[in-house]
Amino acid sequence: MRFSTLLITAGLLTGLATLAQAQTFTDPGAYNNFIVAEQRAMLKKNLRYISKSAHSDNEKKIDAKRQDLIKQTEASLNKVAKMPAFKDDKGFKEQTTEAFYQLLKVYSEDYKAVDMLAATRTATVENMEQYFKLQEIAEAKLQVVNDSVDAAQRRFAKRHNMTISADPEGKRLAEYMRQVSEVNSYQHKVYLAQFRIEKATAKLTDAMSAQDPAAFEAARLQLVEDSKTATTELTAIPAFRGKDARYRDAARNLVKFYAGFAATQAAQMKELLERKDALTKADADKFNGFINLYNTQNQKLAAAYNQAGNAFQATYIPVFND
């Protein structure tokens, strides 16, 4: 996802406040910079929203950042819509106005759909896939919109004999957005692969608690198959940027444990459950030993996986402060 972050020169911004208040522009650089300044304000709000989404599970706080983004977009849209054409050149202003309107729709509708699905995404693999897909669709829409503004800006610069150069602040924001897209894409792949085993493991533990051998065996077999699929998918994922495999490997370790447990210990537990009313003390001790093994290893590896995921985001998506 990328906004147009180009300015003519930093020096042209010194008279920006007076020009914006009067809404009269005699210099094409000031005209361009006024529009880009509104884009910049929107981008910073968007980055705050993204940062909160990446580093918080508090849905109310995340939505509050989205509402701030919507308010800023509405304000920027209103300002640009009221701008006059520059010497009868309507293209840059009209394209930007339309782009801001489309961005407002993405933030109001697409982002809202993503946040709403967040509450139910963990119910099924399909929900999680849809959750990630909605994020990617929203990002793709933003890319198209921002590319259209870039093109309009370049046409405007060519007509008025201006040279456009990137400023340091714009580069910083663009780099943050590039990192967000890169990290999200990688994390989605790892997370979805590992997530495939969640439903079967939940069914396995439920059946174990209910001491239902038929349900337990069905869940065990499903876990065996889902673990194979997850292992194949994780094996195909390279280390992040060719060197950091900690998050992927933490997922692989968790999946490997489930696969081994489902194939060996759970198979023995199924036999014990089938004759649960005639167990000896040795049988009961053996069954309880399997449960202790499961609980201990599951907690250890799940904690390591969650920590690796948090560290991955913290390392590659730093908290956005401006």
Side-chain angles (χ1 to χ4, degrees), residues 121 127 267 278:
R121 67 183 185 273
N127 277 10

Side-chain angles (χ1 to χ4, degrees), residues 19-20 48 58 79 144 169 273 319:
L19 288 167
R48 291 190 195 105
N58 190 313
K79 288 180 182 180
V144 170
E169 176 69 359
L273 281 173
V319 175

Side-chain angles (χ1 to χ4, degrees), residues 43-45 47-48 51 172-173 176 318-322:
L43 176 56
K44 287 182 176 181
K45 291 288 187 180
L47 293 180
R48 291 190 195 105
S51 179
R172 182 180 76 88
L173 299 177
Y176 187 95
V319 175
F320 181 75
N321 293 312
D322 62 326

Side-chain angles (χ1 to χ4, degrees), residues 211-278:
Q211 297 186 7
D212 184 337
F216 185 87
E217 178 64 2
R220 185 187 74 82
L221 294 175
Q222 185 63 55
L223 182 55
V224 169
E225 291 304 311
D226 290 349
S227 296
K228 289 180 181 178
T229 301
T231 299
T232 299
E233 291 177 348
L234 287 168
T235 300
I237 298 174
F240 185 68
R241 295 179 181 172
K243 59 182 181 180
D244 191 341
R246 289 173 294 178
Y247 178 51
R248 181 206 62 191
D249 288 351
R252 290 173 69 174
N253 290 339
L254 185 59
V255 170
K256 182 179 180 180
F257 164 70
Y258 284 130
F261 188 87
T264 55
Q265 288 90 350
Q268 297 178 55
M269 292 175 73
K270 175 250 184 182
E271 295 178 0
L272 293 171
L273 281 173
E274 288 177 333
R275 51 188 181 86
K276 60 185 177 181
D277 295 327

Side-chain angles (χ1 to χ4, degrees), residues 46-83:
N46 192 22
L47 293 180
R48 291 190 195 105
Y49 165 74
I50 290 171
S51 179
K52 181 61 69 175
S53 298
H55 296 282
S56 175
D57 291 325
N58 190 313
E59 294 175 14
K60 289 184 178 180
K61 290 184 178 181
I62 293 172
D63 192 61
K65 292 297 183 184
R66 186 179 67 85
Q67 294 299 333
D68 286 344
L69 173 58
I70 290 173
K71 290 177 182 177
Q72 179 61 58
T73 307
E74 289 173 337
S76 296
L77 173 59
N78 186 53
K79 288 180 182 180
V80 173
K82 290 180 178 179
M83 291 177 71

Side-chain angles (χ1 to χ4, degrees), residues 18-318:
T18 301
L19 288 167
Q21 184 177 9
Q23 284 291 293
T24 58
F25 299 90
T26 58
D27 180 84
Y31 191 89
N32 173 87
N33 288 351
F34 179 73
I35 292 177
V36 172
E38 292 305 318
Q39 287 182 300
R40 184 70 51 78
M42 291 162 54
L43 176 56
K44 287 182 176 181
K45 291 288 187 180
N46 192 22
L47 293 180
R48 291 190 195 105
Y49 165 74
I50 290 171
S51 179
K52 181 61 69 175
S53 298
H55 296 282
S56 175
D57 291 325
N58 190 313
E59 294 175 14
K60 289 184 178 180
K61 290 184 178 181
I62 293 172
D63 192 61
K65 292 297 183 184
R66 186 179 67 85
Q67 294 299 333
D68 286 344
L69 173 58
I70 290 173
K71 290 177 182 177
Q72 179 61 58
T73 307
E74 289 173 337
S76 296
L77 173 59
N78 186 53
K79 288 180 182 180
V80 173
K82 290 180 178 179
M83 291 177 71
F86 184 80
K87 297 182 179 180
D88 296 326
D89 185 346
K90 299 179 180 179
F92 188 21
K93 178 251 181 156
E94 289 184 347
Q95 183 62 57
T96 302
T97 301
E98 174 60 23
F100 282 15
Y101 173 71
Q102 293 301 326
L103 291 174
L104 182 60
K105 288 182 64 178
V106 171
Y107 300 148
S108 300
E109 299 173 10
D110 294 72
Y111 277 18
K112 182 179 180 180
V114 170
D115 288 347
M116 288 180 65
L117 189 57
T120 61
R121 67 183 185 273
T122 56
T124 64
V125 172
E126 291 74 21
N127 277 10
M128 183 59 75
E129 287 176 328
Q130 180 66 9
Y131 175 72
F132 288 151
K133 183 178 180 180
L134 286 178
Q135 286 184 326
E136 292 164 2
I137 288 174
E139 183 173 314
K141 287 182 178 180
L142 293 180
Q143 182 67 64
V144 170
V145 169
N146 294 321
D147 284 348
S148 71
V149 177
D150 281 350
Q153 183 188 39
R154 295 185 186 282
R155 288 193 297 269
F156 179 82
K158 184 177 181 180
R159 288 177 187 141
H160 300 284
N161 299 314
M162 297 189 303
T163 299
I164 296 178
S165 60
D167 69 304
E169 176 69 359
K171 287 182 178 180
R172 182 180 76 88
L173 299 177
E175 175 59 21
Y176 187 95
M177 291 306 303
R178 186 196 67 76
Q179 289 181 346
V180 168
S181 295
E182 180 187 21
V183 170
N184 282 348
S185 178
Y186 186 88
Q187 192 160 34
H188 291 177
K189 292 177 183 178
V190 174
Y191 191 96
L192 274 176
Q194 183 278 331
F195 189 73
R196 293 194 182 281
I197 65 175
E198 293 290 334
K199 191 172 183 178
T201 55
K203 288 184 176 180
L204 188 78
T205 55
D206 287 346
M208 184 164 53
S209 298
Q211 297 186 7
D212 184 337
F216 185 87
E217 178 64 2
R220 185 187 74 82
L221 294 175
Q222 185 63 55
L223 182 55
V224 169
E225 291 304 311
D226 290 349
S227 296
K228 289 180 181 178
T229 301
T231 299
T232 299
E233 291 177 348
L234 287 168
T235 300
I237 298 174
F240 185 68
R241 295 179 181 172
K243 59 182 181 180
D244 191 341
R246 289 173 294 178
Y247 178 51
R248 181 206 62 191
D249 288 351
R252 290 173 69 174
N253 290 339
L254 185 59
V255 170
K256 182 179 180 180
F257 164 70
Y258 284 130
F261 188 87
T264 55
Q265 288 90 350
Q268 297 178 55
M269 292 175 73
K270 175 250 184 182
E271 295 178 0
L272 293 171
L273 281 173
E274 288 177 333
R275 51 188 181 86
K276 60 185 177 181
D277 295 327
L279 295 180
T280 65
K281 183 179 183 301
D283 290 334
D285 289 344
K286 185 177 182 181
F287 189 86
N288 290 330
F290 289 147
I291 292 177
N292 289 334
L293 171 68
Y294 178 88
N295 289 338
T296 301
Q297 288 300 103
N298 179 57
Q299 290 174 6
K300 175 184 174 181
L301 294 172
Y305 169 68
N306 290 330
Q307 289 171 2
N310 292 335
F312 180 73
Q313 285 201 326
T315 300
Y316 299 107
I317 303 183

